[in-house]
Amino acid sequence: MVKSVNKVILIGRLGADPEIRYTQAGTPVASFRIATNNRIKRGEEWVEEPEWHRIVAWNKLAEICEQYLKKGMLVYIEGQLRTRAWEDQDGNRRWTTEVHAREMQMLESKGSGSMEESELEPPPIDEDDVPF
């Protein structure tokens, strides 16, 4: 039998502090975004372009992320890709792909992020598109 693998490993910087919410059953869920950089050549110059990733952590890991992670920190995330679908307020079908974190490691202490403030600004999110 052929096995399949759904594993994501990212090292990147937080674009904002994690936000924590609780399900109706009281389960903590933290969400945040991290940026990884792609180095591409434009003409004769090499430039860095950020790629933004949505991260979701559950239970105790969610509480740890909310307590210790801060904007700009470099983190290691290991998890699994998940795609969710829902209907927005206008009845349009929407999708999002997230990394459901199973493991997180801080690669530096709080407040020691070295990226420029402008590099850490993720693209805006339409909050009406996110179902929680």
Side-chain angles (χ1 to χ4, degrees), residues 5 17 27 31 34 42 45 53 64-65 75 80-81 85 97 104 114 124 129 132:
V5 176
D17 293 351
T27 304
S31 58
I34 67 171
R42 285 202 184 132
E45 288 186 44
H53 310 275
I64 291 168
C65 288
V75 294
Q80 179 176 49
L81 278 182
T97 299
M104 180 278 297
S114 63
D129 288 347
F132 56 85

Side-chain angles (χ1 to χ4, degrees), residues 10-23:
L10 298 168
I11 295 176
R13 293 196 182 274
L14 271 76
D17 293 351
E19 294 181 15
I20 196 160
R21 295 184 174 93
Y22 295 86
T23 65

Side-chain angles (χ1 to χ4, degrees), residues 29-95:
V29 182
S31 58
F32 54 97
R33 301 200 310 160
I34 67 171
T36 57
N37 284 324
N38 295 321
R39 190 177 163 139
I40 62 169
K41 192 169 185 179
R42 285 202 184 132
E44 296 298 315
E45 288 186 44
W46 285 95
V47 295
E48 302 260 338
E49 285 193 348
E51 178 73 30
W52 289 95
H53 310 275
R54 294 175 188 261
I55 312 297
V56 177
W58 294 84
N59 300 310
K60 186 67 175 169
L61 183 57
E63 293 171 337
I64 291 168
C65 288
E66 194 263 341
Q67 182 177 1
Y68 292 104
L69 297 182
K70 300 294 175 206
K71 179 179 180 174
M73 287 181 68
L74 186 65
V75 294
Y76 167 94
I77 300 290
E78 186 173 319
Q80 179 176 49
L81 278 182
R82 297 267 177 98
T83 301
R84 298 183 287 118
W86 71 96
E87 281 190 19
D88 68 13
Q89 296 170 341
D90 299 324
N92 298 315
R93 190 103 167 123
R94 302 284 186 170
W95 293 268

